[in-house]
């Protein structure tokens, strides 16, 4: 496409034009008008200042795989009584996590134990934001009564910090890595799926053709996280389809009912093929059941620990 290279080239962005090219040009032009003999110095100075500006404006990856770093909570958006979106500030407005699509981060906190001791607890989460959104990252977290980190997160107030390390995980999405994704998510298992769905759709202008079908299972209608976002993505992109399943559906419900069954997988997801990958994320009992169901339908047997090349990948 004729407009794609310029749009994807950061050096042609408005911030570079306003912050680098125009000031450098004005400096050189001013010397041409006022004092030509200063021109070599003006060019050298504009190149030095421009180079420093370009360096300072580059996106900086902040994640470290072996070191926990503190990030400050700047915003907390309540979604329901036990679900919120937490926004954390990165060191600068052009900082990015540096998290490959499909991977996740570890969050650690030292929490009191029933015996009165203190213990560091670590849990994995997938941001719902991406590296195309510099300066911050967002986490969608559901707090459980028996949860450790999820309860701790719910207690956070703006200004407090969390400890983060990463990236983690074997899944790394690349454009057109398969012909189609079949996805089965339960509850907060939607977060890695949403990360990949958004990345695929963002890649459409540059040729990403991956088809995506998602089965999203929950207990009640109000438990469906980010339903408006998912419905809007499905409306805007003909290559993405979402199918909802509820244990306790409301009246006039036209989605699936009960647990996700092999029949639902056959009806809504792509058939097993070498260029199809099935992605799973949700509660352990659900993942176990989906691995058995997928094998019965002709998908290759899922391994205990998934690798990128596996046909059935569980986050």
């Amino acid at each position: 496409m004729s407009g794609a290279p310029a749009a994807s080239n950061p050096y042609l962005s408005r911030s570079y034009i306003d912050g680098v090219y125009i000031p450098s040009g004005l400096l050189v032009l001013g010397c041409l008008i006022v004092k030509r003999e200063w021109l070599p110095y003006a060019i050298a100075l504009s190149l030095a200042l421009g180079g420093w500006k370009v360096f300072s404006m580059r996106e900086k990856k902040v994640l470290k795989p072996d070191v926990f770093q503190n990030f400050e909570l700047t915003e907390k958006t309540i979604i329901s009584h036990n679900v919120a979106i937490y926004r954390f500030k990165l060191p600068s407005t052009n900082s990015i996590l540096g998290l490959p699509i499909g991977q996740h981060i570890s969050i650690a906190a030292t929490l009191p134990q029933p015996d009165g001791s203190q213990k560091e607890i670590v849990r994995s989460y997938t941001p719902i934001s991406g590296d195309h959104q510099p300066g911050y990252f967002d986490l969608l977290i559901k707090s459980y009564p028996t949860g450790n980190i999820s309860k701790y997160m719910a207690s956070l107030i703006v200004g407090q910090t969390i400890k983060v390390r990463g990236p983690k995980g074997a899944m790394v999405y690349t454009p057109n890595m398969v012909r189609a994704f079949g996805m089965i998510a339960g509850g907060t298992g939607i977060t890695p799926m949403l990360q990949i769905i958004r990345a695929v759709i963002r890649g459409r202008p540059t040729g990403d053709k991956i088809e995506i079908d998602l089965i999203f299972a929950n207990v009640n209608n109000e438990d469906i996280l980010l339903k408006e976002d998912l419905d809007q993505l499905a409306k805007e992109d003909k290559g993405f389809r979402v199918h909802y399943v509820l244990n306790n559906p409301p009246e006039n419900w036209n989605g699936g009912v009960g647990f996700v069954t092999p029949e639902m997988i056959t009806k809504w997801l792509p058939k097993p093929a070498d260029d199809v990958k099935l992605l799973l994320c949700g509660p352990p009992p659900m993942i176990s059941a989906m691995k058995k169901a997928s094998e019965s339908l002709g998908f290759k047997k899922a391994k205990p620990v998934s690798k990128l090349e596996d046909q059935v990948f569980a986050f």
Side-chain angles (χ1 to χ4, degrees):
M1 293 186 187
S2 59
S8 60
N9 188 345
Y11 298 110
L12 298 179
S13 67
R14 173 55 59 186
S15 58
Y16 276 90
I17 292 170
D18 291 345
V20 179
Y21 308 135
I22 290 177
S24 297
L26 289 173
L27 179 61
V28 172
L29 182 62
C31 276
L32 274 172
I33 296 170
V34 177
K35 205 155 189 174
R36 278 179 181 269
E37 58 266 33
W38 287 0
L39 187 59
Y41 304 106
I43 292 173
L45 181 59
S46 66
L47 288 173
L49 291 174
W52 174 81
K53 188 75 173 179
V54 167
F55 176 79
S56 66
M57 290 171 67
R58 282 191 315 173
E59 291 180 335
K60 298 176 178 64
K61 297 179 181 180
V62 300
L63 273 181
K64 296 178 181 177
D66 52 355
V67 177
F68 278 106
Q69 300 177 82
N70 287 305
F71 297 97
E72 181 187 337
L73 178 67
T74 59
E75 194 176 328
K76 185 174 178 180
T77 305
I78 305 299
I79 305 299
S80 70
H81 71 284
N82 62 352
V83 178
I85 295 175
Y86 303 82
R87 175 162 293 186
F88 293 92
K89 182 171 65 173
L90 294 176
S92 70
T93 55
N94 58 318
S95 295
I96 58 173
L97 271 180
L99 184 70
I101 300 297
Q103 297 202 315
H104 49 271
I105 58 176
S106 294
I107 295 178
T110 302
L111 303 174
Q113 301 302 298
D115 62 3
S117 64
Q118 298 280 321
K119 183 180 179 181
E120 183 174 72
I121 307 294
V122 180
R123 293 288 183 270
S124 296
Y125 289 94
T126 303
I128 58 171
S129 56
D131 284 349
H132 63 293
Q133 299 163 297
Y136 67 90
F137 66 95
D138 289 341
L139 295 173
L140 173 75
I141 296 179
K142 185 172 185 176
S143 176
Y144 296 93
T146 56
N148 285 306
I149 296 294
S150 69
K151 275 173 62 180
Y152 167 75
M153 294 292 290
S155 72
L156 287 179
I157 59 174
V158 170
Q160 291 184 301
T161 61
I162 59 166
K163 294 192 292 185
V164 173
R165 183 175 69 188
K168 283 184 62 184
M171 168 59 69
V172 179
Y173 153 83
T174 52
N176 292 312
M177 63 186 293
V178 290
R179 173 177 56 84
F181 281 127
M183 298 178 170
I184 305 175
T188 53
I190 191 60
T191 55
M193 307 302 186
L194 185 61
Q195 185 193 46
I196 292 172
I197 291 163
R198 285 175 169 165
V200 171
I201 293 174
R202 282 199 309 274
R204 296 294 193 214
T206 50
D208 199 334
K209 295 181 172 65
I210 297 177
E211 295 280 316
I212 306 173
D213 287 279
L214 164 69
I215 295 176
F216 189 15
N218 288 277
V219 177
N220 302 305
N221 194 40
E222 57 270 22
D223 296 326
I224 304 176
L225 301 171
L226 302 174
K227 186 176 188 298
E228 288 183 7
D229 293 46
L230 290 166
D231 289 342
Q232 188 63 31
L233 288 170
K235 182 179 177 182
E236 293 173 355
D237 188 273
K238 58 182 176 57
F240 167 56
R241 293 158 291 275
V242 57
H243 313 276
Y244 299 105
V245 178
L246 293 178
N247 283 11
N248 304 316
E251 287 186 29
N252 303 317
W253 174 253
N254 58 7
V257 177
F259 296 110
V260 177
T261 64
E263 291 74 23
M264 292 177 189
I265 297 172
T266 299
K267 179 181 178 182
W268 289 326
L269 300 189
K271 304 295 183 286
D274 290 339
D275 56 0
V276 168
K277 194 179 284 287
L278 184 63
L279 306 180
L280 310 174
C281 192
M286 176 186 177
I287 297 304
S288 179
M290 292 304 95
K291 285 181 175 180
K292 291 175 184 174
S294 63
E295 188 180 359
S296 74
L297 294 172
F299 286 93
K300 293 173 185 173
K301 184 176 181 179
K303 296 173 184 173
V305 178
S306 297
K307 296 184 178 179
L308 179 60
E309 62 270 19
D310 294 349
Q311 187 180 40
V312 178
F313 187 98
F315 288 94

